[in-house]
Amino acid sequence: MNPNLDRRHLLHALSRRAAGLALFGLFGSGCASDAEPLRTAGRYPFSLGVASGMPRPDGVVLWTRLAPQPQQPDGGLPAQALSLRWEVAEDEAFARVLRRGEATARPEHAHTVHAAVDGLPAGRRVFYRFIAGDAVSPVGRTRTAPAPDEDNARLRLALMSCQHYEQGAYVAHREVAAADIELVLFVGDYIYESSNPRYRIRPHEGPAPQTLDQYRARYATYKADPDLQACHAAHPWVVTWDDHEVENDYAGGAARGSPSGLDADAFLRRRIAAYRAYFEHLPVSPRMAPVGAAMRLYEHYGWGRLADLWTLDNRQYRDLQACPDARGAGGHGVVDCAALADPSRTLLGADQERWIAAELAASRRRWKLIAQATQISSCGIATRAGRRVSTDAWDGYPAARERLMDAIAGPRVENALCLGGDVHRNVAASLRVRPDDPRSALIASEFVCTSVTSHGGSPDAVKNMLASNPDLLHARTGESGYAAVDITRDGARCDFRTALFPVHADARLTTQASVFVEAGRAGVRPV
Ligand code: FE
Ligand code: CA
């Protein structure tokens, strides 16, 4: 499937945004005390748009942030709670309102709002907006999940990751905003803390964030992008994170110190700030608000009788990378590292490992979609010295990977499909308990999306990777975009939609490759 591109949708989204702006100042219905700070600010408070996420059969989470001046630490607002209203309707004109309610934007959460709306009909497309003082937000469109027992036929999702703001334009978001799909699945690197002047085509607002104010400013930079706003306003998002939301290559609490050289205490302070800013700016449930340095992000979603979807957290609970180099932290390539095989090492943490194993064993839906940040299939490369693997990848936690694969193979879970990102290349792979070992049965399949914008590795290395791993059907770097995944009872198709790196604002995506998994038969094959 090429995503159903409909320019009218895009134009609608843009005109709705313009309409939201035009309405600012015309409404006099806000409660006076709350309207006053917004009026004093004198600018449109919904500068970072709206979003929705975590679709359930009876509801969805609606998000916005009041920020007349989003690059200022206080967003341009006084340190007081502000109330606002939300509405969910069947139609874009809000003639048939289904639900309405009030929410509070608190200064301790940067005046962000996470409204958990329930009581909605299952399997329905709905529209939503916020009203604060005199200002009306852009209209967002979202949908609820199908009822658990509905014999639904299809789930189309955009698999996305790695949107380094400096390294390209969000053409992928522009295309996905106009596509006829059910949800966006974003698997990490929503922001980048770091910068590389070599690939910069537009700048971050400042140096690498360390404090809460700085992380908030980083989110403001990303979320001010009109294509990203349009993509949030067009579909519900299901999210998990990877490393760059905090710091490149971090592992758990970074007990040996962090890859950027922070000691363990300073790193934990940074993680607390980063997790908090992540929670504030993503459309996740208010019950996910972090407590100190802890934020439970892994989650289950059901999509009628067609699919279970789990999002995993690859970073918060993992052990440190094995065989550290001179820097002492982070990932790197190793040839000889006996510590890799230590069965006590974990990538997901013991609790999350037990949870996903129990969920997989109990699943009765047709497809089992396991979404996590990175590539599960091996990306090791044969060298003259031996096989070289990255200690930060699943290859660096081989026993943990085998346990995850056993959680599929043991209970004979059919139609397990892993969805990942992070590696800045498209990958389609077949999965076994022991990668690339023909004596180990095929048990699952994997689609990995390239970056939305971020720079990838060397094309020669990826060619070598393909040659070194017979389980990889497709692997290509040097192009950015997303993966359009179309799941029906009969199969799962993936179209890798890309443009050459770096993606400029006038680029068009084309289909780099298409792959297919047939229901009842593990493994990927070309279309
Ligand atoms: Fe990335
Ligand atoms: Ca990453």
Side-chain angles (χ1 to χ4, degrees):
M1 162 205 68
N2 277 349
N4 180 2
L5 291 182
D6 185 343
R7 276 195 67 74
R8 281 173 309 156
H9 267 136
L10 176 61
L11 293 172
H12 266 146
L14 295 172
S15 66
R16 282 202 302 272
R17 187 167 151 69
L21 286 162
L23 282 169
F24 177 47
L26 296 181
F27 271 56
S29 55
C31 120
S33 61
D34 285 352
E36 191 52 36
L38 293 171
R39 209 172 284 132
T40 308
R43 296 178 191 220
Y44 189 56
F46 298 104
S47 58
L48 302 180
V50 297
S52 71
M54 300 192 69
R56 305 295 186 191
D58 67 338
V60 68
V61 174
L62 306 181
W63 176 93
T64 194
R65 179 178 168 192
L66 298 177
Q69 306 208 55
Q71 281 299 341
Q72 289 187 9
D74 60 6
L77 291 174
Q80 73 185 72
L82 299 172
S83 69
L84 66 171
R85 293 181 285 133
W86 53 262
E87 294 178 338
V88 177
E90 285 181 356
D91 61 313
E92 270 181 271
F94 291 81
R96 297 185 302 280
V97 171
L98 293 165
R99 299 276 285 163
R100 48 168 58 101
E102 285 210 0
T104 304
R106 299 181 190 283
E108 56 268 34
H109 276 306
H111 292 104
T112 57
V113 176
H114 302 75
V117 176
D118 59 12
L120 296 176
R124 285 274 283 281
R125 171 178 282 188
V126 294
F127 299 87
Y128 64 94
R129 66 182 176 188
F130 294 90
I131 300 153
D134 297 334
V136 181
S137 78
V139 174
R141 190 184 66 185
T142 188
R143 72 169 58 241
T144 52
D149 58 350
E150 188 185 325
D151 197 14
N152 54 323
R154 202 168 183 193
L155 167 58
R156 292 161 299 181
L157 61 87
L159 174 63
M160 311 183 87
S161 80
C162 296
Q163 52 182 11
H164 202 306
Y165 180 85
E166 294 190 325
Q167 297 182 1
Y170 291 161
V171 173
H173 288 303
R174 197 185 306 157
E175 178 169 305
V176 172
D180 190 9
I181 60 171
E182 278 71 46
L183 59 87
V184 171
L185 177 58
F186 196 94
V187 294
D189 290 355
Y190 187 93
I191 58 158
Y192 279 70
E193 88 295 5
S194 51
S195 194
N196 186 336
R198 222 171 127 190
Y199 305 118
R200 186 184 294 149
I201 65 173
R202 54 178 182 169
H204 280 150
E205 75 296 329
Q210 301 284 343
T211 66
L212 180 56
D213 280 349
Q214 290 168 336
Y215 276 105
R216 285 172 173 166
R218 183 57 48 91
Y219 280 93
T221 297
Y222 281 60
K223 295 190 80 87
D225 184 283
D227 291 320
L228 180 57
Q229 284 192 15
C231 193
H232 274 297
H235 311 291
W237 283 41
V238 167
V239 301
T240 188
W241 56 26
D242 193 32
D243 50 348
H244 286 286
E245 285 88 349
V246 182
E247 174 176 332
N248 183 37
D249 275 5
Y250 85 93
R256 273 197 308 253
S258 82
S260 73
L262 299 174
D263 67 34
D265 284 348
F267 174 73
L268 213 57
R269 283 197 295 277
R270 190 182 199 189
R271 193 177 110 172
I272 289 168
Y275 280 15
R276 189 169 171 119
Y278 179 88
F279 165 76
E280 288 173 350
H281 291 86
L282 274 293
V284 294
S285 168
R287 70 177 156 74
M288 283 181 167
V291 178
M295 179 170 164
R296 159 93 186 237
L297 190 57
Y298 60 92
E299 191 70 34
H300 165 261
Y301 301 84
W303 207 261
R305 279 157 63 177
L306 184 67
D308 277 312
L309 165 64
W310 297 275
T311 50
L312 304 184
D313 178 343
N314 279 8
R315 287 288 163 188
Q316 189 171 181
Y317 315 106
R318 74 156 75 189
D319 286 326
L320 296 174
Q321 294 87 351
C323 299
D325 63 8
R327 294 175 306 150
H332 66 118
V334 292
V335 173
D336 276 315
C337 174
L340 286 184
D342 178 353
S344 75
R345 296 181 65 251
T346 178
L347 191 142
L348 298 176
D351 288 350
Q352 189 178 196
E353 273 191 24
R354 272 194 298 273
W355 171 80
I356 186 63
E359 291 274 318
L360 282 165
S363 172
R364 295 292 171 266
R365 297 193 164 94
R366 188 163 187 87
W367 289 92
K368 288 85 175 173
L369 309 176
I370 303 165
Q372 47 80 57
T374 193
Q375 180 179 341
I376 294 177
S377 49
S378 181
C379 41
I381 288 179
T383 71
R384 248 170 288 173
R387 190 174 171 87
R388 185 180 170 85
V389 299
S390 162
T391 58
D392 190 61
W394 276 100
D395 282 336
Y397 300 78
R401 173 170 58 196
E402 197 165 315
R403 289 194 295 275
L404 179 60
M405 293 298 104
D406 273 333
I408 297 169
R412 297 182 178 277
V413 174
E414 273 208 321
N415 301 322
L417 175 59
C418 296
L419 303 170
D422 169 53
V423 289
H424 307 178
R425 60 178 172 263
N426 287 320
V427 175
S430 301
L431 295 173
R432 310 171 192 269
V433 173
R434 293 184 304 280
D436 298 315
D437 179 351
R439 292 163 303 175
S440 185
L442 291 180
I443 54 159
S445 316
E446 180 175 47
F447 303 150
V448 178
C449 63
T450 189
S451 61
V452 170
T453 51
S454 312
H455 179 253
S458 111
D460 283 345
V462 172
K463 274 186 196 136
N464 196 352
M465 185 182 301
L466 256 177
S468 304
N469 297 281
D471 288 347
L472 302 188
L473 172 71
H474 178 80
R476 195 187 303 172
T477 189
E479 298 179 17
S480 291
Y482 71 101
V485 178
D486 187 353
I487 294 160
T488 64
R489 294 182 197 99
D490 300 333
R493 177 179 170 130
C494 177
D495 294 290
F496 294 116
R497 299 281 299 163
T498 62
L500 279 178
F501 175 90
V503 179
H504 291 284
D506 59 354
R508 294 283 164 137
L509 307 185
T510 59
T511 299
Q512 175 191 93
S514 300
V515 297
F516 189 72
V517 177
E518 188 186 334
R521 198 173 131 190
V524 286
R525 60 184 214 214
V527 168

